[in-house]
Amino acid sequence: MPAKSLLIGAAAVAVVGLVVWRMIPPSEAILTDEIPVVVYVCEETGDVFQGRAQAVPLENPLTGRSTLRLGLYCPKCEAWRVAPPMEALQQARQRPLCPKDRTPLEMEGPIPADAVRLEDE
């Protein structure tokens, strides 16, 4: 008899849980418009891409390889560079520097007209 009572109790809890879950309004989904557009740079070719922020590396649609990394802008070179891995950015005491002229890189800059748009945008 105790097993039957336990089974009935578990079923009751499941039914109550389902009813409560149905009554709670769904959380608002993140709208695509709320996800910022960022620049990605292919670490092999240097090609620039733009798309909604996602975890990297991303697949380069032109090569099929996962070589797209977050891009950072050099205002002196007026070029986008591959950002260091996120762990390195978080541990660094200063902003990353441009490998060409040692200027601090920035998160924002003009998106080139020839930047390839990623499908998820």
Side-chain angles (χ1 to χ4, degrees):
M1 225 29 164
K4 186 176 182 182
S5 297
L6 187 59
L7 185 59
I8 291 172
V13 169
V15 169
V16 169
L18 182 61
V19 169
V20 170
W21 179 73
R22 291 274 191 171
M23 291 174 59
I24 298 173
S27 61
E28 292 185 31
I30 296 177
L31 301 174
T32 304
D33 294 342
E34 294 176 358
I35 301 173
V37 173
V38 296
V39 172
Y40 298 97
V41 179
C42 177
E43 62 187 355
E44 289 180 348
T45 66
D47 293 338
V48 178
F49 297 78
Q50 68 174 350
R52 300 283 174 195
Q54 312 177 48
V56 291
L58 292 178
E59 182 179 303
N60 182 332
L62 305 177
T63 65
R65 292 189 297 277
S66 295
T67 56
L68 297 187
R69 307 285 183 196
L70 183 64
L72 294 176
Y73 185 71
C74 176
K76 187 172 182 182
C77 296
E78 297 182 346
W80 287 91
R81 307 289 183 201
V82 175
M86 192 56 67
E87 300 82 30
L89 286 173
Q90 292 171 341
Q91 293 175 358
R93 294 180 186 211
Q94 64 182 29
R95 291 188 296 173
L97 303 176
C98 175
K100 184 175 179 183
D101 61 34
R102 311 299 292 162
T103 300
L105 297 172
E106 301 176 356
M107 289 291 297
E108 295 182 7
I111 298 175
D114 61 346
V116 177
R117 290 180 185 244
L118 299 174
E119 288 182 25
D120 293 331
E121 188 179 355

